[in-house]
Amino acid sequence: MKPVRPQRVIPIVAAPQGGGSCSNGRQPGGVLAAVGGWLRDRAGLLRKLQWAVVLVYAFLLIVPACLELPEDSARMWNNLTIFAQFVFWGIWWPFVLLSMVLFGRLWCGVLCPEGALSEWAARKGLGRPIPRWMRWGGWPFVAFVLTTVYGQLVSVYQYPKAALLVLGGSTVAAVAVGFVYTRGKRAWCRHLCPVNGVFGLLSKLAPMHYRVDEAAWKQSQQKRERVAAVDCAPLQPLRHMQGGSGCHMCGRCSDHRGAIELSLRSPSDEVVRVAEREADGWQTALIVYGLLGVAMGAFHWTMSPWFVSLKQTAAEWLVDKDIMWPLDTGAPWWLLTHYPQHNDVFSWLDGAALITYVATTALALGSGILACLALAVCAAGRWQTRRLHHLAQALIPLAGCGVFLGLSALTVTLLKAEGVPMQWANHARLLLLAGANLWSLHLARGIMRHWGGSAARYLALLPMLAALALVDCAWGFMFWWW
């Protein structure tokens, strides 16, 4: 695939390497700006790195699905299936989430196999315009919820065929969407990727972004020089880009018109300042009912005594009524978990109970959190729906921390099976939760200060504390009380 070349002013004036001034006379922005330029100028190397990740991803996803399931005595160091399970769910996904908070969506722009394949397919495909249905703002929430629940029904964390079905199916969809829509862009990543919304939220906390200098942009336009357009794969409006939630951090726009450079920023800036205009109901739904609701239920049910009681009560009622078909365990593995050789088989009742438990958890916990947020908005001043959506953004650190803790629980389980001492894990979880709570509270305080008004806004932090307490109690049941 032909690498994307850096964008230059025509006639071309080569930018100096390492020192000197930029094309508009502005001095370079330091080490980070140089990193952005390096990413821009190493497009060919980055493409090779992406294809290397694609090959590793395909190998670890496909080969274990073709092997027999491991015996109970198998271990990570002598069984490819368990090794792949650890790589995907113990390292890959938890630390991809962490990377969003540290570096923005650098994973998406530089390493993600789905993004690379979708963009490659778009360069070879039909080039049709993105249809209206794909632009619907609810896809990030809907895709996350459906993927999360379906993954639980087929036990995606435990079995390689389920992982191939969920992750591989997503990859095939990414290639198909790329082939049909746009010319060399990432329509899948921008609109339909199941984790696009989650990555967009977490990247708002990153301490770096591509800063756009409006004055330098206007100055470049006044020179009336022809400037080649940036090949922005995620289709970002570069001139008006204020935050990093949609930027894939690939560096292709670095120093475009002498106005864009990789820069440091306050980790609070995008949530407090930019999100006031960009936050909407779908983002609030993803935070409150998705990351703090559905994800919590998905992590909870395997160890919840309430889930066991729900299933037993339903089973007894069905037997009393002589309704036996929901107890049947003949569903195929791609619909419900079905691995009789490992005594792991779901009945229709199991599937229904799981969906009911996750949905109830999401509705109860999410609605409680939303009520606390609404009360905080009212206490801080006049009611505005826009303020509710803005304040919900303060929960991003706690929501992200929760998903990291839930995914890393499998990391801890697998390491324990290998004999690695993990007595410190619960202490680390407590520290992470405490830090996330403080970060969310700090963001809430910053948002309310940004609104202005009287000192009553500090009283509004009390309902915010209640919202945090609800989330903490849910994690307390999972890690300490059950």
Side-chain angles (χ1 to χ4, degrees), residues 220-235:
S220 172
Q221 285 184 318
Q222 290 169 358
K223 294 180 179 179
R224 299 186 181 280
E225 295 172 322
R226 292 172 54 206
V227 179
V230 175
D231 180 25
C232 181
L235 299 164

Side-chain angles (χ1 to χ4, degrees), residues 64-133:
C66 301
L67 302 176
E68 294 292 329
L69 289 176
E71 300 295 332
D72 293 338
S73 60
R75 290 294 177 263
M76 188 192 314
W77 53 269
N78 63 9
N79 187 276
L80 179 62
T81 299
I82 299 178
F83 176 75
Q85 181 188 26
F86 180 73
V87 169
F88 274 124
W89 307 115
I91 298 177
W92 192 313
W93 280 109
F95 289 95
V96 164
L97 292 176
L98 182 62
S99 76
M100 299 294 156
V101 178
L102 298 176
F103 310 111
R105 299 182 66 167
L106 186 67
W107 162 265
C108 297
V110 176
L111 296 172
C112 178
E114 281 194 3
L117 288 169
S118 185
E119 185 178 347
W120 170 79
R123 295 188 185 280
K124 309 292 184 181
L126 304 179
R128 293 179 181 174
I130 298 175
R132 180 177 298 179
W133 66 265

Side-chain angles (χ1 to χ4, degrees), residues 91-92 249 278 289 303 314 322 406:
I91 298 177
W92 192 313
M249 304 291 284
E278 295 184 351
Y289 288 104
M303 58 186 64
D322 199 27

Side-chain angles (χ1 to χ4, degrees), residues 446-465:
I447 288 170
M448 292 177 186
R449 288 182 62 185
H450 185 72
W451 293 346
S454 66
R457 64 176 178 267
Y458 293 106
L459 294 176
L461 291 176
L462 294 178
M464 192 69 190
L465 285 171

Side-chain angles (χ1 to χ4, degrees), residues 152-198:
Q152 295 302 305
L153 291 173
V154 297
S155 298
V156 68
Y157 300 149
Q158 285 76 35
Y159 297 105
K161 285 185 178 179
L164 178 61
L165 179 63
V166 175
L167 298 181
S170 176
T171 302
V172 169
V175 173
V177 169
F179 184 81
V180 175
Y181 300 108
T182 76
R183 181 65 68 191
K185 307 300 181 184
R186 297 187 177 188
W188 168 264
C189 303
R190 180 174 172 84
H191 296 290
L192 298 178
C193 174
V195 288
N196 171 51
V198 178

Side-chain angles (χ1 to χ4, degrees), residues 129-379:
I130 298 175
R132 180 177 298 179
W133 66 265
M134 194 184 296
R135 299 176 187 270
W136 180 51
W139 284 123
F141 172 73
V142 172
F144 174 79
V145 170
L146 292 180
T147 303
T148 300
V149 174
Y150 180 65
Q152 295 302 305
L153 291 173
V154 297
S155 298
V156 68
Y157 300 149
Q158 285 76 35
Y159 297 105
K161 285 185 178 179
L164 178 61
L165 179 63
V166 175
L167 298 181
S170 176
T171 302
V172 169
V175 173
V177 169
F179 184 81
V180 175
Y181 300 108
T182 76
R183 181 65 68 191
K185 307 300 181 184
R186 297 187 177 188
W188 168 264
C189 303
R190 180 174 172 84
H191 296 290
L192 298 178
C193 174
V195 288
N196 171 51
V198 178
F199 288 174
L201 290 173
L202 296 180
S203 63
K204 294 183 179 186
L205 306 175
M208 59 184 70
H209 73 139
Y210 280 92
R211 182 176 63 85
V212 181
D213 186 337
E214 281 276 355
W217 192 293
K218 291 179 180 178
Q219 182 182 353
S220 172
Q221 285 184 318
Q222 290 169 358
K223 294 180 179 179
R224 299 186 181 280
E225 295 172 322
R226 292 172 54 206
V227 179
V230 175
D231 180 25
C232 181
L235 299 164
Q236 290 301 292
L238 295 179
R239 178 174 179 178
H240 305 291
M241 185 172 65
Q242 294 297 311
S245 60
C247 173
H248 285 193
M249 304 291 284
C250 62
R252 299 180 194 181
C253 65
S254 182
D255 200 36
H256 179 62
R257 291 187 177 273
I260 302 178
E261 67 178 16
L262 186 60
S263 306
L264 287 175
R265 65 173 181 178
S266 165
S268 304
D269 178 70
E270 187 165 351
V271 169
V272 172
R273 182 180 59 86
V274 181
E276 183 180 25
R277 300 185 302 274
E278 295 184 351
D280 59 22
W282 285 117
Q283 289 188 23
T284 299
L286 181 57
I287 296 168
V288 174
Y289 288 104
L291 293 173
L292 294 174
V294 170
M296 185 71 73
F299 292 132
H300 258 210
W301 72 271
T302 55
M303 58 186 64
S304 171
W306 302 335
F307 174 77
V308 175
S309 297
L310 169 67
K311 192 172 67 170
Q312 288 179 343
T313 301
E316 291 171 359
W317 184 88
L318 289 169
V319 171
D320 288 342
K321 299 295 182 181
D322 199 27
I323 304 173
M324 306 305 294
W325 67 263
L327 304 179
D328 181 66
T329 58
W333 67 268
W334 47 266
L335 191 58
L336 292 173
T337 300
H338 188 84
Y339 300 93
Q341 67 272 39
H342 281 252
N343 297 315
D344 193 4
V345 177
F346 279 15
S347 66
W348 296 106
L349 174 61
D350 291 323
L354 191 158
I355 293 173
T356 301
Y357 185 86
V358 172
T360 302
T361 301
L363 288 173
L365 188 57
S367 297
I369 294 169
L370 198 62
C372 292
L373 292 176
L375 186 58
V377 172
C378 292

